[in-house]
Amino acid sequence: MRAVIKFTGIVLVFCGFAFFGFFKSFSKREYIRRLKEIISSLDMADNMLRLGALSREKILKTSFSEIDKPMPPKINRCLNAFFSDFGSGDTQTERGRIRSLKKELLSEIDRQEAEYKSSGRLWRTAGVCTGLAICIMLI
């Protein structure tokens, strides 16, 4: 019975560390995907604004209805500033704001993708190796 409890504990420690490494990598990839969704929404808003078919409120509701998950504070500040100012200028000014925000988000995506590329595999491997090392010490 004692061996079963020890084995179960070792497996749980290993799984916990491995899960942490994979979760860290997955969360970075998910963050990049959400940034790309915002870029896509900005493209949609820009097209709708260029066509002039809808009011600015409907453009925002239609374009950004799919974005419901919270973002990091830096991105939230940029989006909140964009949303609060959207509709206060003419079409060219609004399209310029959209281009400016897209440029900021694209640079953030590039930075995050570089970090993911350099660290993603490291997080997964470090989680598994740390779990194995602790399991070996517990045995």
Side-chain angles (χ1 to χ4, degrees), residues 78-94:
C78 290
L79 287 176
N80 287 337
F82 172 75
F83 291 145
S84 66
D85 292 340
F86 191 77
S88 62
D90 63 346
T91 303
Q92 293 305 319
T93 304
E94 300 302 334

Side-chain angles (χ1 to χ4, degrees), residues 44-59 62 91:
M44 182 187 300
D46 189 34
N47 288 337
M48 294 169 79
L49 188 64
R50 183 175 44 86
L51 295 174
L54 298 172
S55 69
R56 292 195 165 100
E57 293 81 23
K58 290 190 186 237
I59 289 173
T62 304
T91 303

Side-chain angles (χ1 to χ4, degrees), residues 11 20 37 39 44 75 99 113:
V11 168
F20 177 76
E37 284 179 357
I39 297 273
M44 182 187 300
I75 303 301
R99 281 191 299 273
E113 283 180 336

Side-chain angles (χ1 to χ4, degrees), residues 7-136:
F7 178 74
T8 304
I10 289 171
V11 168
L12 288 175
V13 166
F14 172 75
C15 290
F17 278 99
F19 175 76
F20 177 76
F22 280 94
F23 179 74
K24 180 81 170 155
S25 177
F26 174 76
S27 65
K28 180 65 71 175
R29 194 173 20 164
E30 182 67 16
Y31 176 61
I32 293 168
R33 186 189 64 76
R34 287 176 24 210
L35 287 176
K36 289 180 179 180
E37 284 179 357
I38 292 173
I39 297 273
S40 172
S41 296
L42 286 170
D43 285 336
M44 182 187 300
D46 189 34
N47 288 337
M48 294 169 79
L49 188 64
R50 183 175 44 86
L51 295 174
L54 298 172
S55 69
R56 292 195 165 100
E57 293 81 23
K58 290 190 186 237
I59 289 173
L60 288 179
K61 284 182 184 177
T62 304
S63 300
F64 292 94
S65 63
E66 308 255 334
I67 309 294
D68 59 351
K69 295 180 182 176
M71 298 296 285
K74 178 183 175 184
I75 303 301
N76 273 340
R77 282 192 300 271
C78 290
L79 287 176
N80 287 337
F82 172 75
F83 291 145
S84 66
D85 292 340
F86 191 77
S88 62
D90 63 346
T91 303
Q92 293 305 319
T93 304
E94 300 302 334
R95 292 188 71 207
R97 286 182 186 149
I98 290 173
R99 281 191 299 273
S100 174
L101 182 58
K102 277 177 54 176
K103 187 176 178 181
E104 284 183 51
L105 291 176
L106 286 172
S107 67
E108 178 70 11
I109 287 173
D110 289 341
R111 190 176 68 76
Q112 294 295 326
E113 283 180 336
E115 184 179 327
Y116 176 74
K117 189 174 184 179
S118 67
S119 302
R121 184 174 287 173
L122 177 68
W123 292 324
R124 292 186 300 269
T125 304
V128 170
C129 290
T130 303
L132 283 174
I134 291 175
C135 289
I136 289 171

